[in-house]
Amino acid sequence: MTDPVFATKWDFLFARVLIGVDRTTGVFSGSEPAPGQQMVAVWTSEDIATEALHVESWELKQIKVRDLLRLLPAGIGVVVDPETTSGMTATSSYVAQLKRYLVPFPPDSQVRLGDWDAMPQGLRHALVQAATRHGVQELRAFTYTVDDSPSLGCLAYVPAPGSEASAVTAALDAALASAASPVALGLPAVNVVALDEVPQEVRAALGDAHVIHRGRRSTRWRR
């Protein structure tokens, strides 16, 4: 018996797949194996996808499974490499269970913290530069697990008063992407969040540890 293409839910959740997009309508490739059971079809390789689809009508696009699940309405499942021996089906109920893990710290989950000792020096330098440019008051880097997940990375920052958190997140994401990929880091994902988005109990466990940057505090001079 052939093993499924994704052995665990985490392998599936952090994967990148190919999806067919109708060149005329923009509709995703899919099927309805039974009434009311709509499935979106994705593939793990271009060879398998082009064999299944008429590429004249369908454009193949790469997508993160996490991004795909965010797009799917309730009641839609995912079939991976349909009609192959290693294919798998994520039913709509299974997809609904996975969606709770689309946020960095799902409610009512068990979080375990770790040190990001293996962060490359080049990545640390790029992150500190980006944080300095945007006046970030504090930047922390750590690893963690959620329930039975693999080790994930987290960059949690305290923005300068009045700064746009989205701009800081984008800058840190860009620094991360330019310096190293999550795969190269040995992490399936690195989440960039404002520190106040980290659950209070996790912040308390961090204490002053894991700080890789602290900005200079402004002082008022008296004459």
Side-chain angles (χ1 to χ4, degrees), residues 29-53:
S29 53
S31 63
E32 190 170 353
Q37 295 182 15
Q38 295 184 39
M39 308 291 290
V40 169
V42 299
W43 291 269
T44 55
S45 77
E46 189 171 342
D47 288 344
I48 299 175
T50 53
E51 187 175 339
L53 295 175

mmCIF file with all atom_site columns, all heavy atoms in Angstrom, residues 29-53:
data_model
loop_
_atom_site.group_PDB
_atom_site.id
_atom_site.type_symbol
_atom_site.label_atom_id
_atom_site.label_alt_id
_atom_site.label_comp_id
_atom_site.label_asym_id
_atom_site.label_entity_id
_atom_site.label_seq_id
_atom_site.pdbx_PDB_ins_code
_atom_site.Cartn_x
_atom_site.Cartn_y
_atom_site.Cartn_z
_atom_site.occupancy
_atom_site.B_iso_or_equiv
_atom_site.pdbx_formal_charge
_atom_site.auth_seq_id
_atom_site.auth_comp_id
_atom_site.auth_asym_id
_atom_site.auth_atom_id
_atom_site.pdbx_PDB_model_num
ATOM 1   N N   . SER A 1 29 ? -10.046 24.506 -9.835  1.00 0.00 ? 29 SER A N   1
ATOM 2   C CA  . SER A 1 29 ? -10.338 23.141 -10.243 1.00 0.00 ? 29 SER A CA  1
ATOM 3   C C   . SER A 1 29 ? -10.928 22.370 -9.069  1.00 0.00 ? 29 SER A C   1
ATOM 4   O O   . SER A 1 29 ? -10.560 22.575 -7.918  1.00 0.00 ? 29 SER A O   1
ATOM 5   C CB  . SER A 1 29 ? -9.052  22.448 -10.719 1.00 0.00 ? 29 SER A CB  1
ATOM 6   O OG  . SER A 1 29 ? -8.038  22.566 -9.716  1.00 0.00 ? 29 SER A OG  1
ATOM 7   N N   . GLY A 1 30 ? -11.853 21.485 -9.376  1.00 0.00 ? 30 GLY A N   1
ATOM 8   C CA  . GLY A 1 30 ? -12.481 20.733 -8.292  1.00 0.00 ? 30 GLY A CA  1
ATOM 9   C C   . GLY A 1 30 ? -13.435 19.684 -8.806  1.00 0.00 ? 30 GLY A C   1
ATOM 10  O O   . GLY A 1 30 ? -13.501 19.394 -10.000 1.00 0.00 ? 30 GLY A O   1
ATOM 11  N N   . SER A 1 31 ? -14.186 19.103 -7.884  1.00 0.00 ? 31 SER A N   1
ATOM 12  C CA  . SER A 1 31 ? -15.141 18.059 -8.236  1.00 0.00 ? 31 SER A CA  1
ATOM 13  C C   . SER A 1 31 ? -16.230 18.018 -7.170  1.00 0.00 ? 31 SER A C   1
ATOM 14  O O   . SER A 1 31 ? -16.129 18.639 -6.119  1.00 0.00 ? 31 SER A O   1
ATOM 15  C CB  . SER A 1 31 ? -14.444 16.691 -8.327  1.00 0.00 ? 31 SER A CB  1
ATOM 16  O OG  . SER A 1 31 ? -13.915 16.328 -7.061  1.00 0.00 ? 31 SER A OG  1
ATOM 17  N N   . GLU A 1 32 ? -17.263 17.267 -7.475  1.00 0.00 ? 32 GLU A N   1
ATOM 18  C CA  . GLU A 1 32 ? -18.355 17.044 -6.520  1.00 0.00 ? 32 GLU A CA  1
ATOM 19  C C   . GLU A 1 32 ? -18.652 15.551 -6.520  1.00 0.00 ? 32 GLU A C   1
ATOM 20  O O   . GLU A 1 32 ? -19.539 15.079 -7.243  1.00 0.00 ? 32 GLU A O   1
ATOM 21  C CB  . GLU A 1 32 ? -19.596 17.855 -6.899  1.00 0.00 ? 32 GLU A CB  1
ATOM 22  C CG  . GLU A 1 32 ? -20.669 17.849 -5.823  1.00 0.00 ? 32 GLU A CG  1
ATOM 23  C CD  . GLU A 1 32 ? -21.795 18.842 -6.102  1.00 0.00 ? 32 GLU A CD  1
ATOM 24  O OE1 . GLU A 1 32 ? -21.667 19.622 -7.053  1.00 0.00 ? 32 GLU A OE1 1
ATOM 25  O OE2 . GLU A 1 32 ? -22.796 18.828 -5.356  1.00 0.00 ? 32 GLU A OE2 1
ATOM 26  N N   . PRO A 1 33 ? -17.864 14.769 -5.716  1.00 0.00 ? 33 PRO A N   1
ATOM 27  C CA  . PRO A 1 33 ? -18.022 13.309 -5.744  1.00 0.00 ? 33 PRO A CA  1
ATOM 28  C C   . PRO A 1 33 ? -19.398 12.836 -5.307  1.00 0.00 ? 33 PRO A C   1
ATOM 29  O O   . PRO A 1 33 ? -19.822 11.738 -5.667  1.00 0.00 ? 33 PRO A O   1
ATOM 30  C CB  . PRO A 1 33 ? -16.937 12.831 -4.773  1.00 0.00 ? 33 PRO A CB  1
ATOM 31  C CG  . PRO A 1 33 ? -16.659 14.003 -3.888  1.00 0.00 ? 33 PRO A CG  1
ATOM 32  C CD  . PRO A 1 33 ? -16.877 15.213 -4.743  1.00 0.00 ? 33 PRO A CD  1
ATOM 33  N N   . ALA A 1 34 ? -20.098 13.622 -4.531  1.00 0.00 ? 34 ALA A N   1
ATOM 34  C CA  . ALA A 1 34 ? -21.462 13.297 -4.098  1.00 0.00 ? 34 ALA A CA  1
ATOM 35  C C   . ALA A 1 34 ? -22.210 14.621 -3.933  1.00 0.00 ? 34 ALA A C   1
ATOM 36  O O   . ALA A 1 34 ? -21.580 15.672 -3.713  1.00 0.00 ? 34 ALA A O   1
ATOM 37  C CB  . ALA A 1 34 ? -21.445 12.515 -2.787  1.00 0.00 ? 34 ALA A CB  1
ATOM 38  N N   . PRO A 1 35 ? -23.513 14.600 -4.047  1.00 0.00 ? 35 PRO A N   1
ATOM 39  C CA  . PRO A 1 35 ? -24.278 15.840 -3.906  1.00 0.00 ? 35 PRO A CA  1
ATOM 40  C C   . PRO A 1 35 ? -23.962 16.560 -2.596  1.00 0.00 ? 35 PRO A C   1
ATOM 41  O O   . PRO A 1 35 ? -23.983 15.966 -1.519  1.00 0.00 ? 35 PRO A O   1
ATOM 42  C CB  . PRO A 1 35 ? -25.735 15.362 -3.941  1.00 0.00 ? 35 PRO A CB  1
ATOM 43  C CG  . PRO A 1 35 ? -25.687 14.081 -4.715  1.00 0.00 ? 35 PRO A CG  1
ATOM 44  C CD  . PRO A 1 35 ? -24.374 13.449 -4.357  1.00 0.00 ? 35 PRO A CD  1
ATOM 45  N N   . GLY A 1 36 ? -23.611 17.838 -2.705  1.00 0.00 ? 36 GLY A N   1
ATOM 46  C CA  . GLY A 1 36 ? -23.319 18.630 -1.513  1.00 0.00 ? 36 GLY A CA  1
ATOM 47  C C   . GLY A 1 36 ? -21.923 18.452 -0.964  1.00 0.00 ? 36 GLY A C   1
ATOM 48  O O   . GLY A 1 36 ? -21.592 19.017 0.073   1.00 0.00 ? 36 GLY A O   1
ATOM 49  N N   . GLN A 1 37 ? -21.092 17.665 -1.652  1.00 0.00 ? 37 GLN A N   1
ATOM 50  C CA  . GLN A 1 37 ? -19.714 17.433 -1.187  1.00 0.00 ? 37 GLN A CA  1
ATOM 51  C C   . GLN A 1 37 ? -18.731 18.036 -2.194  1.00 0.00 ? 37 GLN A C   1
ATOM 52  O O   . GLN A 1 37 ? -18.142 17.325 -3.003  1.00 0.00 ? 37 GLN A O   1
ATOM 53  C CB  . GLN A 1 37 ? -19.436 15.937 -1.016  1.00 0.00 ? 37 GLN A CB  1
ATOM 54  C CG  . GLN A 1 37 ? -20.251 15.272 0.067   1.00 0.00 ? 37 GLN A CG  1
ATOM 55  C CD  . GLN A 1 37 ? -19.897 13.803 0.225   1.00 0.00 ? 37 GLN A CD  1
ATOM 56  O OE1 . GLN A 1 37 ? -18.878 13.336 -0.267  1.00 0.00 ? 37 GLN A OE1 1
ATOM 57  N NE2 . GLN A 1 37 ? -20.753 13.061 0.911   1.00 0.00 ? 37 GLN A NE2 1
ATOM 58  N N   . GLN A 1 38 ? -18.568 19.332 -2.144  1.00 0.00 ? 38 GLN A N   1
ATOM 59  C CA  . GLN A 1 38 ? -17.673 19.998 -3.079  1.00 0.00 ? 38 GLN A CA  1
ATOM 60  C C   . GLN A 1 38 ? -16.220 19.875 -2.624  1.00 0.00 ? 38 GLN A C   1
ATOM 61  O O   . GLN A 1 38 ? -15.908 20.027 -1.450  1.00 0.00 ? 38 GLN A O   1
ATOM 62  C CB  . GLN A 1 38 ? -18.055 21.472 -3.210  1.00 0.00 ? 38 GLN A CB  1
ATOM 63  C CG  . GLN A 1 38 ? -19.432 21.687 -3.826  1.00 0.00 ? 38 GLN A CG  1
ATOM 64  C CD  . GLN A 1 38 ? -19.721 23.157 -4.035  1.00 0.00 ? 38 GLN A CD  1
ATOM 65  O OE1 . GLN A 1 38 ? -18.854 23.926 -4.424  1.00 0.00 ? 38 GLN A OE1 1
ATOM 66  N NE2 . GLN A 1 38 ? -20.960 23.550 -3.773  1.00 0.00 ? 38 GLN A NE2 1
ATOM 67  N N   . MET A 1 39 ? -15.335 19.601 -3.570  1.00 0.00 ? 39 MET A N   1
ATOM 68  C CA  . MET A 1 39 ? -13.923 19.426 -3.281  1.00 0.00 ? 39 MET A CA  1
ATOM 69  C C   . MET A 1 39 ? -13.104 20.295 -4.231  1.00 0.00 ? 39 MET A C   1
ATOM 70  O O   . MET A 1 39 ? -13.397 20.371 -5.420  1.00 0.00 ? 39 MET A O   1
ATOM 71  C CB  . MET A 1 39 ? -13.504 17.961 -3.457  1.00 0.00 ? 39 MET A CB  1
ATOM 72  C CG  . MET A 1 39 ? -14.358 16.937 -2.716  1.00 0.00 ? 39 MET A CG  1
ATOM 73  S SD  . MET A 1 39 ? -14.166 17.039 -0.922  1.00 0.00 ? 39 MET A SD  1
ATOM 74  C CE  . MET A 1 39 ? -12.506 16.407 -0.740  1.00 0.00 ? 39 MET A CE  1
ATOM 75  N N   . VAL A 1 40 ? -12.088 20.935 -3.712  1.00 0.00 ? 40 VAL A N   1
ATOM 76  C CA  . VAL A 1 40 ? -11.111 21.628 -4.538  1.00 0.00 ? 40 VAL A CA  1
ATOM 77  C C   . VAL A 1 40 ? -9.964  20.651 -4.786  1.00 0.00 ? 40 VAL A C   1
ATOM 78  O O   . VAL A 1 40 ? -9.484  19.996 -3.857  1.00 0.00 ? 40 VAL A O   1
ATOM 79  C CB  . VAL A 1 40 ? -10.593 22.899 -3.834  1.00 0.00 ? 40 VAL A CB  1
ATOM 80  C CG1 . VAL A 1 40 ? -9.380  23.473 -4.564  1.00 0.00 ? 40 VAL A CG1 1
ATOM 81  C CG2 . VAL A 1 40 ? -11.688 23.940 -3.753  1.00 0.00 ? 40 VAL A CG2 1
ATOM 82  N N   . ALA A 1 41 ? -9.534  20.540 -6.037  1.00 0.00 ? 41 ALA A N   1
ATOM 83  C CA  . ALA A 1 41 ? -8.460  19.616 -6.399  1.00 0.00 ? 41 ALA A CA  1
ATOM 84  C C   . ALA A 1 41 ? -7.128  20.358 -6.468  1.00 0.00 ? 41 ALA A C   1
ATOM 85  O O   . ALA A 1 41 ? -7.039  21.434 -7.058  1.00 0.00 ? 41 ALA A O   1
ATOM 86  C CB  . ALA A 1 41 ? -8.764  18.957 -7.739  1.00 0.00 ? 41 ALA A CB  1
ATOM 87  N N   . VAL A 1 42 ? -6.094  19.767 -5.858  1.00 0.00 ? 42 VAL A N   1
ATOM 88  C CA  . VAL A 1 42 ? -4.737  20.320 -5.916  1.00 0.00 ? 42 VAL A CA  1
ATOM 89  C C   . VAL A 1 42 ? -3.769  19.189 -6.215  1.00 0.00 ? 42 VAL A C   1
ATOM 90  O O   . VAL A 1 42 ? -4.096  18.005 -6.048  1.00 0.00 ? 42 VAL A O   1
ATOM 91  C CB  . VAL A 1 42 ? -4.350  21.031 -4.597  1.00 0.00 ? 42 VAL A CB  1
ATOM 92  C CG1 . VAL A 1 42 ? -5.273  22.198 -4.304  1.00 0.00 ? 42 VAL A CG1 1
ATOM 93  C CG2 . VAL A 1 42 ? -4.328  20.047 -3.424  1.00 0.00 ? 42 VAL A CG2 1
ATOM 94  N N   . TRP A 1 43 ? -2.563  19.570 -6.641  1.00 0.00 ? 43 TRP A N   1
ATOM 95  C CA  . TRP A 1 43 ? -1.568  18.575 -7.027  1.00 0.00 ? 43 TRP A CA  1
ATOM 96  C C   . TRP A 1 43 ? -0.221  18.923 -6.427  1.00 0.00 ? 43 TRP A C   1
ATOM 97  O O   . TRP A 1 43 ? 0.089   20.092 -6.179  1.00 0.00 ? 43 TRP A O   1
ATOM 98  C CB  . TRP A 1 43 ? -1.465  18.500 -8.549  1.00 0.00 ? 43 TRP A CB  1
ATOM 99  C CG  . TRP A 1 43 ? -2.691  17.925 -9.178  1.00 0.00 ? 43 TRP A CG  1
ATOM 100 C CD1 . TRP A 1 43 ? -2.937  16.617 -9.463  1.00 0.00 ? 43 TRP A CD1 1
ATOM 101 C CD2 . TRP A 1 43 ? -3.872  18.642 -9.576  1.00 0.00 ? 43 TRP A CD2 1
ATOM 102 N NE1 . TRP A 1 43 ? -4.183  16.473 -10.021 1.00 0.00 ? 43 TRP A NE1 1
ATOM 103 C CE2 . TRP A 1 43 ? -4.782  17.699 -10.101 1.00 0.00 ? 43 TRP A CE2 1
ATOM 104 C CE3 . TRP A 1 43 ? -4.244  19.982 -9.543  1.00 0.00 ? 43 TRP A CE3 1
ATOM 105 C CZ2 . TRP A 1 43 ? -6.029  18.054 -10.582 1.00 0.00 ? 43 TRP A CZ2 1
ATOM 106 C CZ3 . TRP A 1 43 ? -5.490  20.353 -10.024 1.00 0.00 ? 43 TRP A CZ3 1
ATOM 107 C CH2 . TRP A 1 43 ? -6.367  19.391 -10.537 1.00 0.00 ? 43 TRP A CH2 1
ATOM 108 N N   . THR A 1 44 ? 0.583   17.885 -6.234  1.00 0.00 ? 44 THR A N   1
ATOM 109 C CA  . THR A 1 44 ? 1.893   18.085 -5.621  1.00 0.00 ? 44 THR A CA  1
ATOM 110 C C   . THR A 1 44 ? 3.011   18.221 -6.641  1.00 0.00 ? 44 THR A C   1
ATOM 111 O O   . THR A 1 44 ? 4.140   18.529 -6.270  1.00 0.00 ? 44 THR A O   1
ATOM 112 C CB  . THR A 1 44 ? 2.222   16.915 -4.678  1.00 0.00 ? 44 THR A CB  1
ATOM 113 O OG1 . THR A 1 44 ? 2.125   15.676 -5.417  1.00 0.00 ? 44 THR A OG1 1
ATOM 114 C CG2 . THR A 1 44 ? 1.261   16.885 -3.495  1.00 0.00 ? 44 THR A CG2 1
ATOM 115 N N   . SER A 1 45 ? 2.732   17.989 -7.910  1.00 0.00 ? 45 SER A N   1
ATOM 116 C CA  . SER A 1 45 ? 3.750   18.169 -8.938  1.00 0.00 ? 45 SER A CA  1
ATOM 117 C C   . SER A 1 45 ? 3.093   18.606 -10.231 1.00 0.00 ? 45 SER A C   1
ATOM 118 O O   . SER A 1 45 ? 1.906   18.330 -10.485 1.00 0.00 ? 45 SER A O   1
ATOM 119 C CB  . SER A 1 45 ? 4.539   16.876 -9.175  1.00 0.00 ? 45 SER A CB  1
ATOM 120 O OG  . SER A 1 45 ? 3.795   15.953 -9.949  1.00 0.00 ? 45 SER A OG  1
ATOM 121 N N   . GLU A 1 46 ? 3.884   19.280 -11.069 1.00 0.00 ? 46 GLU A N   1
ATOM 122 C CA  . GLU A 1 46 ? 3.362   19.759 -12.353 1.00 0.00 ? 46 GLU A CA  1
ATOM 123 C C   . GLU A 1 46 ? 3.023   18.591 -13.269 1.00 0.00 ? 46 GLU A C   1
ATOM 124 O O   . GLU A 1 46 ? 2.049   18.652 -14.029 1.00 0.00 ? 46 GLU A O   1
ATOM 125 C CB  . GLU A 1 46 ? 4.390   20.678 -13.008 1.00 0.00 ? 46 GLU A CB  1
ATOM 126 C CG  . GLU A 1 46 ? 3.870   21.392 -14.239 1.00 0.00 ? 46 GLU A CG  1
ATOM 127 C CD  . GLU A 1 46 ? 4.825   22.452 -14.748 1.00 0.00 ? 46 GLU A CD  1
ATOM 128 O OE1 . GLU A 1 46 ? 5.713   22.874 -13.988 1.00 0.00 ? 46 GLU A OE1 1
ATOM 129 O OE2 . GLU A 1 46 ? 4.675   22.859 -15.927 1.00 0.00 ? 46 GLU A OE2 1
ATOM 130 N N   . ASP A 1 47 ? 3.802   17.517 -13.208 1.00 0.00 ? 47 ASP A N   1
ATOM 131 C CA  . ASP A 1 47 ? 3.535   16.361 -14.065 1.00 0.00 ? 47 ASP A CA  1
ATOM 132 C C   . ASP A 1 47 ? 2.161   15.764 -13.785 1.00 0.00 ? 47 ASP A C   1
ATOM 133 O O   . ASP A 1 47 ? 1.396   15.462 -14.712 1.00 0.00 ? 47 ASP A O   1
ATOM 134 C CB  . ASP A 1 47 ? 4.619   15.293 -13.857 1.00 0.00 ? 47 ASP A CB  1
ATOM 135 C CG  . ASP A 1 47 ? 5.959   15.695 -14.454 1.00 0.00 ? 47 ASP A CG  1
ATOM 136 O OD1 . ASP A 1 47 ? 5.980   16.636 -15.283 1.00 0.00 ? 47 ASP A OD1 1
ATOM 137 O OD2 . ASP A 1 47 ? 6.978   15.083 -14.087 1.00 0.00 ? 47 ASP A OD2 1
ATOM 138 N N   . ILE A 1 48 ? 1.854   15.593 -12.505 1.00 0.00 ? 48 ILE A N   1
ATOM 139 C CA  . ILE A 1 48 ? 0.558   15.000 -12.146 1.00 0.00 ? 48 ILE A CA  1
ATOM 140 C C   . ILE A 1 48 ? -0.567  15.950 -12.527 1.00 0.00 ? 48 ILE A C   1
ATOM 141 O O   . ILE A 1 48 ? -1.621  15.530 -13.018 1.00 0.00 ? 48 ILE A O   1
ATOM 142 C CB  . ILE A 1 48 ? 0.510   14.683 -10.636 1.00 0.00 ? 48 ILE A CB  1
ATOM 143 C CG1 . ILE A 1 48 ? 1.598   13.682 -10.257 1.00 0.00 ? 48 ILE A CG1 1
ATOM 144 C CG2 . ILE A 1 48 ? -0.856  14.129 -10.247 1.00 0.00 ? 48 ILE A CG2 1
ATOM 145 C CD1 . ILE A 1 48 ? 1.699   13.411 -8.763  1.00 0.00 ? 48 ILE A CD1 1
ATOM 146 N N   . ALA A 1 49 ? -0.358  17.256 -12.316 1.00 0.00 ? 49 ALA A N   1
ATOM 147 C CA  . ALA A 1 49 ? -1.405  18.237 -12.613 1.00 0.00 ? 49 ALA A CA  1
ATOM 148 C C   . ALA A 1 49 ? -1.691  18.322 -14.105 1.00 0.00 ? 49 ALA A C   1
ATOM 149 O O   . ALA A 1 49 ? -2.855  18.337 -14.530 1.00 0.00 ? 49 ALA A O   1
ATOM 150 C CB  . ALA A 1 49 ? -0.993  19.603 -12.073 1.00 0.00 ? 49 ALA A CB  1
ATOM 151 N N   . THR A 1 50 ? -0.641  18.378 -14.918 1.00 0.00 ? 50 THR A N   1
ATOM 152 C CA  . THR A 1 50 ? -0.860  18.517 -16.362 1.00 0.00 ? 50 THR A CA  1
ATOM 153 C C   . THR A 1 50 ? -1.465  17.256 -16.967 1.00 0.00 ? 50 THR A C   1
ATOM 154 O O   . THR A 1 50 ? -2.150  17.313 -17.998 1.00 0.00 ? 50 THR A O   1
ATOM 155 C CB  . THR A 1 50 ? 0.462   18.845 -17.076 1.00 0.00 ? 50 THR A CB  1
ATOM 156 O OG1 . THR A 1 50 ? 1.463   17.889 -16.716 1.00 0.00 ? 50 THR A OG1 1
ATOM 157 C CG2 . THR A 1 50 ? 0.951   20.229 -16.696 1.00 0.00 ? 50 THR A CG2 1
ATOM 158 N N   . GLU A 1 51 ? -1.223  16.125 -16.329 1.00 0.00 ? 51 GLU A N   1
ATOM 159 C CA  . GLU A 1 51 ? -1.860  14.894 -16.801 1.00 0.00 ? 51 GLU A CA  1
ATOM 160 C C   . GLU A 1 51 ? -3.350  14.895 -16.494 1.00 0.00 ? 51 GLU A C   1
ATOM 161 O O   . GLU A 1 51 ? -4.152  14.314 -17.226 1.00 0.00 ? 51 GLU A O   1
ATOM 162 C CB  . GLU A 1 51 ? -1.187  13.683 -16.136 1.00 0.00 ? 51 GLU A CB  1
ATOM 163 C CG  . GLU A 1 51 ? -1.653  12.350 -16.683 1.00 0.00 ? 51 GLU A CG  1
ATOM 164 C CD  . GLU A 1 51 ? -0.888  11.180 -16.098 1.00 0.00 ? 51 GLU A CD  1
ATOM 165 O OE1 . GLU A 1 51 ? 0.229   11.393 -15.596 1.00 0.00 ? 51 GLU A OE1 1
ATOM 166 O OE2 . GLU A 1 51 ? -1.421  10.052 -16.130 1.00 0.00 ? 51 GLU A OE2 1
ATOM 167 N N   . ALA A 1 52 ? -3.729  15.579 -15.416 1.00 0.00 ? 52 ALA A N   1
ATOM 168 C CA  . ALA A 1 52 ? -5.134  15.583 -15.001 1.00 0.00 ? 52 ALA A CA  1
ATOM 169 C C   . ALA A 1 52 ? -5.945  16.692 -15.669 1.00 0.00 ? 52 ALA A C   1
ATOM 170 O O   . ALA A 1 52 ? -7.155  16.553 -15.865 1.00 0.00 ? 52 ALA A O   1
ATOM 171 C CB  . ALA A 1 52 ? -5.216  15.748 -13.483 1.00 0.00 ? 52 ALA A CB  1
ATOM 172 N N   . LEU A 1 53 ? -5.285  17.809 -16.010 1.00 0.00 ? 53 LEU A N   1
ATOM 173 C CA  . LEU A 1 53 ? -5.990  18.972 -16.533 1.00 0.00 ? 53 LEU A CA  1
ATOM 174 C C   . LEU A 1 53 ? -5.600  19.258 -17.984 1.00 0.00 ? 53 LEU A C   1
ATOM 175 O O   . LEU A 1 53 ? -4.493  18.945 -18.412 1.00 0.00 ? 53 LEU A O   1
ATOM 176 C CB  . LEU A 1 53 ? -5.671  20.215 -15.698 1.00 0.00 ? 53 LEU A CB  1
ATOM 177 C CG  . LEU A 1 53 ? -6.142  20.240 -14.240 1.00 0.00 ? 53 LEU A CG  1
ATOM 178 C CD1 . LEU A 1 53 ? -5.609  21.491 -13.563 1.00 0.00 ? 53 LEU A CD1 1
ATOM 179 C CD2 . LEU A 1 53 ? -7.654  20.184 -14.142 1.00 0.00 ? 53 LEU A CD2 1
#
